[in-house]
Amino acid sequence: MAGEQLQVLNALDVAKTQWYHFTAIIIAGMGFFTDAYDLFCISMVTKLLGRIYYHVDGSPKPGILPPNVSAAVNGVALCGTLAGQLFFGWLGDKLGRKKVYGLTLMLMCLCSVASGLSFGKEPKSVMATLCFFRFWLGFGIGGDYPLSATIMSEYANKKTRGAFIAAVFAMQGFGILAGGIFAILISSAFDARFKAPAYQVDPIGSTIPQADYVWRIILMVGALPAVLTYYWRMKMPETARYTALVAKNAKQAASDMSKVLQVDIDAEQQKVEQIAQKPAGSFGLFSREFLRRHGLHLLGTTSTWFLLDIAYYSQNLFQKDIFSAIGWIPPAKTMNAVQEVYRIARAQTLIALCSTVPGYWFTVALIDRMGRFAIQLLGFFMMTVFMFALAIPYNHWTHPDNRIGFVVMYSLTFFFANFGPNATTFVVPAEIFPARLRSTCHGISAASGKLGAIVGAFGFLYLAQNQDKAKADAGYPVGIGVRNSLIVLGVVNFLGLLFTFLVPESKGKSLEEMSGENEVTAGDGSDQQPT
């Protein structure tokens, strides 16, 4: 096999786990740390924004964001992410992974800082500025998905590739955790320094003027981890698979990887040119050949990611509403503005600590033993079970005595999302497509996921409203209630389980074997090329 595959690619496939693998995980993973921090910290400050900018005199409840503003603030970064995944995914295949990688990071840093600044003091201008910069923040974050996954898959060896790509993605868990912990620290500090009464005691005095700094600081700190890794991103060499198979520069690929792997590698320019002339080395994304070879694979990766994110984001962005419904967070009028941030952040951090973070690392530990397919199937199955278990006896869970049980079940759905399709839908598209289309196809799959996230986030905002108009949030139409929403999510998870059968298993195989770039003969399981 080694004789037929490029020596430089074979060297990467069989390389023992080395220090450079871990540096690549940290460099690529810091992008995801920032992504998760930025995307999820907004859900901690939306209630605060409502109190500061949409206070209604004489109202028995604190101000909340109007439905259209809330949808824009929560969803605009997701729209930006979708656009960024498609654009930078395509650009990563055109210009190379490394050239585009620094660009996405700079965009993330600048927009993180800018989203905490605002032009003017009017609610409209503050929200417009916030939404504008969060869109472009999302655009940068979107680029990080296909590029980080592709870079990690192209650097990794065959044996532990799944674990390395999953580890990059698992940094999201730490990002969510960091967002929660930082919000707890900031809100505690402000609450201790600037004492304020509860809303029901003094509606105006409960929101201190300094509360305006709280949300800005929380949003702006998201730039820090990205800035710290910028230098290292620029030092990383281009991946050998891109240099050899797409840019067709065998000499550069061999020279780059000789330094990384610290071994001598021959440049095999002639072999690179032979691979390029094969039918497997030339077809485009919209060709009949791509449809024949990878059409169902792309349908599998896009549909499963789409369905997963409907469930995942509707839970994640609106878990604060679920916590309020079961009484984990006291009624808003019994707290001042900063205390409310503290309570929401504390609840999110507990969920992240107990279920989100462990789920990611279970995937890292087991993905190269169990395989991607088994983990994804198990995850969707368990999420379906837990959703129905929460939904059908929903009234039982809302009793004060059963709240802990509800939170445990809710945490388990998160655990199996992360030890399941949330991680595998990210890993697989980086492994099964040809090098020249890998970043693009990953971007398409990820964008499909973000479309699901938008459906989940916006749809759930309206769906989960109470069926009794008097109990629905101000400005919202009557919904189907939390219980029926959970039933809908259970059905979505079950569909995800069915579409998983379209996705091939890539455990233990080289990237070229999966994509057919080694041109495996029909019916022959080996990597030999036809002579």
Side-chain angles (χ1 to χ4, degrees), residues 13 59 106 264 290 320 379 425 427 485:
D13 274 344
S59 167
M106 280 316 296
D264 289 330
F290 178 85
K320 60 180 182 293
T425 50
V427 172
S485 301

Side-chain angles (χ1 to χ4, degrees), residues 190-505:
F190 271 76
D191 196 38
R193 176 77 180 78
F194 308 103
K195 292 285 178 206
Y199 182 87
Q200 59 193 10
V201 177
D202 179 358
I204 302 285
S206 69
T207 306
I208 51 169
Q210 293 83 356
D212 201 39
Y213 293 119
V214 173
W215 70 269
R216 295 174 191 278
I217 293 168
I218 290 172
L219 293 182
M220 290 166 90
V221 163
L224 271 178
V227 168
L228 296 175
T229 52
Y230 184 75
Y231 170 76
W232 298 106
R233 266 199 190 193
M234 298 327 304
K235 294 275 284 182
M236 269 179 112
E238 181 57 86
T239 72
R241 286 184 159 92
Y242 183 85
T243 311
L245 297 173
V246 186
K248 315 272 189 288
N249 187 343
K251 192 175 174 192
Q252 186 64 47
S255 145
D256 286 345
M257 290 309 111
S258 296
K259 286 177 200 151
V260 169
L261 295 167
Q262 294 169 335
V263 291
D264 289 330
I265 297 171
D266 296 334
E268 301 166 296
Q269 191 62 40
Q270 195 180 354
K271 202 178 276 188
V272 165
E273 279 153 18
Q274 281 171 0
I275 290 171
Q277 285 158 10
K278 289 191 160 53
S282 56
F283 61 85
L285 181 64
F286 298 108
S287 64
R288 196 170 279 173
E289 186 67 8
F290 178 85
L291 194 64
R292 185 179 72 78
R293 287 170 183 254
H294 299 294
L296 282 178
H297 297 164
L298 191 58
L299 176 64
T301 57
T302 49
S303 58
T304 50
W305 207 336
F306 173 76
L307 292 161
L308 163 83
D309 271 9
I310 291 178
Y312 192 76
Y313 276 78
S314 60
Q315 293 173 62
N316 226 331
L317 286 171
F318 302 101
Q319 57 182 227
K320 60 180 182 293
D321 300 323
I322 291 173
F323 291 143
S324 298
I326 60 158
W328 245 35
I329 295 171
K333 63 183 179 186
T334 63
M335 300 179 280
N336 67 39
V338 177
Q339 280 168 345
E340 191 174 28
V341 174
Y342 172 80
R343 288 300 187 102
I344 294 168
R346 193 179 67 174
Q348 286 207 357
T349 307
L350 277 169
I351 285 283
L353 202 56
C354 301
S355 65
T356 312
V357 174
Y360 282 120
W361 292 100
F362 263 77
T363 306
V364 173
L366 296 172
I367 191 166
D368 289 308
R369 290 182 194 162
M370 287 173 65
R372 289 74 167 141
F373 180 78
I375 288 179
Q376 188 161 311
L377 212 57
L378 174 74
F380 269 130
F381 176 75
M382 297 308 278
M383 284 169 77
T384 309
V385 169
F386 285 120
M387 279 294 170
F388 285 127
L390 286 174
I392 294 162
Y394 183 68
N395 293 336
H396 163 82
W397 296 117
T398 52
H399 285 292
D401 308 344
N402 305 324
R403 281 177 189 156
I404 297 300
F406 182 93
V407 173
V408 169
M409 300 277 278
Y410 184 72
S411 296
L412 283 168
T413 57
F414 262 112
F415 174 80
F416 280 106
N418 294 318
F419 175 44
N422 196 32
T424 53
T425 50
F426 176 78
V427 172
V428 174
E431 301 182 309
I432 61 178
F433 298 108
R436 68 188 175 286
L437 301 171
R438 188 169 290 136
S439 175
T440 306
C441 289
H442 195 286
I444 292 168
S445 305
S448 168
K450 276 297 167 284
L451 190 62
I454 292 164
V455 171
F458 292 112
F460 201 79
L461 194 57
Y462 291 92
L463 275 182
Q465 289 301 324
N466 204 298
Q467 289 164 295
D468 177 357
K469 181 72 179 157
K471 291 182 184 170
D473 287 341
Y476 285 87
V478 173
I480 61 171
V482 175
R483 177 178 183 260
N484 292 341
S485 301
L486 289 168
I487 292 174
V488 171
L489 294 178
V491 173
V492 164
N493 289 328
F494 182 69
L495 288 173
L497 183 145
L498 298 180
F499 276 102
T500 297
F501 287 95
L502 293 176
V503 181
E505 179 57 78

